[in-house]
Amino acid sequence: MGDGSIRDPMLRKPLFRNRLLARALLYTGGVLAVVGVVVLANWLREPIAHWSWNRSVEEWLSHEEVELLQEYLRIDTSYPDGNEIPAAEFLARHLEAAGVETHIERLGPRNANMWAVLEGEQSDALVLHNHMDVEPVRQPDRWTVEPFAGEISPPWIIGRGAFDMKSVTIAQLMSVLDLARRGEPLSRSVIFLATGDEETGSRLGTRWLIQHHPELIDRFWAVLTEGGAVEARSLEEIKYWGTEFAQKRFLYVEACHGSQRRLEALWRDLRRLNTLTLRRSLLPEIETFLDRYGPTRDSERYRELLADPASLLVDARLLELPWYLQLSMRHEVAPFPVVEDPEGGFKMRIILHLFNDSDPTEAIAELLPDGAIFGVPYVLEIPHEVAPASPIDHPLFVAIDEMTNAEFEGGHGPLFVPLAATDARYYRAIGIPAYGYSPFRILATDTLTVTGPNERVALEGFVEGVDRYRQVVRHVLGLDTESP
């Protein structure tokens, strides 16, 4: 299959053909460990205990972080029926037990935001951001366990939100608890921030805080949130550990029509757009990403193409690259399935993936051509924010780079995300550096459960990653990184 980094052929399908995998790659839970098919097959023939993964439930629950994750997974925060308030109370309760003052803002009967501050010498704070809400449980009949039971089935813990993003939340919580329990003086303040409503646009989450709590936002020095990706040839050999520093811009379109067939015809027309004619670009942030990422490819052909990415803007050789790399250098349109409109007729969501320097009017003309959209009314939501890349010479990124490269011999680098968006874009749009980081080495098979049945995280990678996250936070703050 060519390059060894992304082996599953499903990963080459467009977003509108496999939304689940797009999220596994680049959105929520923001965590991806890609293991080659041959390597994975060999691993499956060996006993899991080879990596000491198959411990008993009691042994796993002896880890505080596992017990906390299980408790957190048992809180249903799925939209539209779940409730974020018990999640905020759960997080606040554990912080307050360590002596950390917390604040919960309740927004109606189901939504909430929660934050806690560890004061340091500098008021400007390192922000550990997470979102409490999770995707709904679709296809419940395909779950083999109760989705909100937090069941431990060694070597995994299973539950909605395990991957996106409650495992990262617990890593952040444990980092703050570690700082609070030690009581060491901090050179910089630390804010633990849990927001809601991320899965449906962050209107009552991050965007609400930016609008209504400038006194808090003004303290943000830098934000560490979901995102990032890990590519591995095996569990021991890390190929590329990417920390997300830049994303595309997205325009959201809702097309409406009384005829289902008309919208389905539009869906087909948009899928048939000639990708060779769509705008291409090599923005500085993409060049920064590819400069570090390209030499790590196993395929000699990929390394050759990525050695001169600017040359790919003018001919068909771009199509030789994996799909996710193609999207780094061109526009994309992603139509979703046609659904019934509760107000009558039918509707279809369309997402336009653009470069940050794109003119929205020109992009709409390109990706929704008159010949396809003619006669179909649509509503366009144009986000006002244009989110520039966060600098990779920022002390937060440098600290992650130093720690990860020391552990994995130069395997870390910046990651450009072409497919999906996180709340990092809202912080970047107002000038706050934000980075998507995952501390976990997770099997590729686990990434395929994101938003799907039996969402799970391997506990060995989780426990290891919680400690890695703690050490990164301590390193950023100039503290020793020895194990407690």
Side-chain angles (χ1 to χ4, degrees):
M1 296 184 183
D3 186 68
S5 63
I6 292 187
R7 297 282 187 168
D8 195 315
M10 294 179 72
L11 296 178
R12 296 175 179 166
K13 296 182 180 181
L15 175 62
F16 45 77
R17 299 167 88 181
N18 205 317
R19 186 184 181 196
L20 185 155
L21 286 179
R23 292 183 61 84
L25 271 165
L26 301 163
Y27 201 7
T28 97
V31 181
L32 174 64
V34 182
V35 182
V37 168
V38 174
V39 174
L40 183 58
N42 289 336
W43 174 81
L44 289 172
R45 286 196 293 268
E46 298 182 45
I48 291 176
H50 179 72
W51 282 280
S52 302
W53 281 30
N54 202 21
R55 305 176 201 172
S56 69
V57 172
E58 292 72 24
E59 286 179 289
W60 283 121
L61 284 174
S62 68
H63 294 271
E64 181 183 10
E65 57 268 38
V66 174
E67 186 178 14
L68 287 173
L69 179 57
Q70 184 181 62
E71 186 179 354
Y72 196 26
L73 290 173
R74 288 174 173 172
I75 302 172
D76 180 358
T77 57
S78 63
Y79 75 88
D81 300 321
N83 195 324
E84 298 163 357
I85 295 173
E89 293 172 339
F90 159 80
L91 296 169
R93 181 171 69 253
H94 288 284
L95 289 165
E96 289 170 353
V100 183
E101 184 178 352
T102 65
H103 179 86
I104 297 176
E105 180 180 39
R106 294 168 176 82
L107 301 171
R110 296 182 182 276
N111 295 102
N113 297 304
M114 191 282 290
W115 60 89
V117 183
L118 286 178
E119 295 292 353
E121 293 179 15
Q122 299 180 62
S123 176
D124 290 351
L126 166 65
V127 180
L128 307 183
H129 168 260
N130 58 83
H131 64 83
M132 295 176 286
D133 59 321
V134 300
E135 286 276 353
V137 176
R138 303 181 181 91
Q139 302 174 306
D141 56 312
R142 293 184 57 194
W143 283 74
T144 59
V145 301
E146 203 285 314
F148 296 103
E151 181 168 318
I152 295 176
S153 178
W156 293 284
I157 187 167
I158 306 170
R160 172 57 81 234
F163 208 100
D164 180 16
M165 63 169 295
K166 290 185 175 181
S167 52
V168 176
T169 301
I170 297 302
Q172 294 175 337
L173 177 65
M174 291 295 296
S175 296
V176 175
L177 292 177
D178 172 69
L179 295 174
R181 290 165 177 171
R182 294 190 186 209
E184 301 162 295
L186 302 178
S187 60
R188 180 179 300 284
S189 299
V190 176
I191 296 176
F192 178 92
L193 175 63
T195 61
D197 197 34
E198 191 273 345
E199 300 290 1
T200 52
S202 300
R203 183 179 63 87
L204 297 176
T206 291
R207 292 163 62 189
W208 175 273
L209 289 176
I210 290 173
Q211 183 178 359
H212 295 281
H213 292 283
E215 77 289 347
L216 182 68
I217 300 296
D218 286 347
R219 297 191 60 178
F220 287 16
W221 170 68
V223 175
L224 204 55
T225 187
E226 67 177 327
V230 182
E231 295 180 359
R233 296 182 181 90
S234 70
L235 290 169
E236 287 77 23
E237 187 180 3
I238 298 298
K239 180 177 178 178
Y240 194 79
W241 199 303
T243 293
E244 184 269 325
F245 77 116
Q247 302 173 7
K248 271 188 174 177
R249 186 184 186 192
F250 295 84
L251 301 188
Y252 301 92
V253 176
E254 188 173 89
C256 306
H257 204 275
S259 168
Q260 180 177 2
R261 293 181 62 184
R262 178 64 186 93
L263 289 181
E264 290 173 344
L266 172 60
W267 185 86
R268 289 191 296 271
D269 287 343
L270 295 180
R271 284 192 58 189
R272 286 196 291 259
L273 285 181
N274 184 356
T275 58
L276 290 173
T277 67
L278 301 183
R279 185 194 167 195
R280 300 183 187 184
S281 183
L282 185 65
L283 299 184
E285 56 266 34
I286 301 170
E287 195 166 14
T288 296
F289 161 58
L290 294 177
D291 183 62
R292 177 65 184 85
Y293 187 77
T296 69
R297 302 304 83 198
D298 290 331
S299 164
E300 181 179 353
R301 179 56 175 165
Y302 290 173
R303 293 196 303 272
E304 176 187 335
L305 292 170
L306 294 174
D308 184 16
S311 68
L312 304 179
L313 304 180
V314 296
D315 58 37
R317 288 180 302 140
L318 179 66
L319 302 184
E320 297 183 43
L321 291 174
W323 173 63
Y324 69 100
L325 289 177
Q326 293 181 38
L327 295 191
S328 297
M329 289 182 274
R330 68 166 173 82
H331 280 172
E332 172 70 309
V333 56
F336 286 77
V338 177
V339 298
E340 287 191 45
D341 188 336
E343 298 181 3
F346 298 87
K347 61 183 180 179
M348 178 175 70
R349 195 179 197 210
I350 305 167
I351 301 180
L352 311 184
H353 300 195
L354 314 177
F355 301 112
N356 276 324
D357 67 347
S358 298
D359 177 88
T361 301
E362 294 178 358
I364 291 168
E366 173 194 22
L367 298 172
L368 298 177
D370 290 341
I373 201 74
F374 180 78
V376 177
Y378 64 88
V379 176
L380 175 67
E381 175 195 344
I382 302 180
H384 296 291
E385 74 281 347
V386 174
S390 296
I392 63 171
D393 60 355
H394 188 279
L396 176 53
F397 187 93
V398 170
I400 297 171
D401 200 48
E402 290 174 348
M403 291 290 294
T404 313
N405 283 332
E407 185 179 2
F408 297 107
E409 298 182 359
H412 181 265
L415 179 71
F416 177 81
V417 173
L419 277 177
T422 70
D423 277 359
R425 71 193 190 275
Y426 299 121
Y427 300 118
R428 292 181 187 134
I430 57 174
I432 299 171
Y435 303 93
Y437 170 66
S438 168
F440 306 123
R441 288 190 290 180
I442 302 295
L443 290 174
T445 49
D446 291 352
T447 71
L448 303 182
T449 66
V450 181
T451 79
N454 300 317
E455 184 177 353
R456 68 190 189 187
V457 168
L459 285 166
E460 182 77 14
F462 168 69
V463 170
E464 173 197 67
V466 168
D467 186 62
R468 182 176 294 113
Y469 206 103
R470 179 188 64 84
Q471 293 192 49
V472 164
V473 169
R474 294 183 63 81
H475 185 55
V476 173
L477 298 174
L479 301 170
D480 72 85
T481 56
E482 295 299 318
S483 296

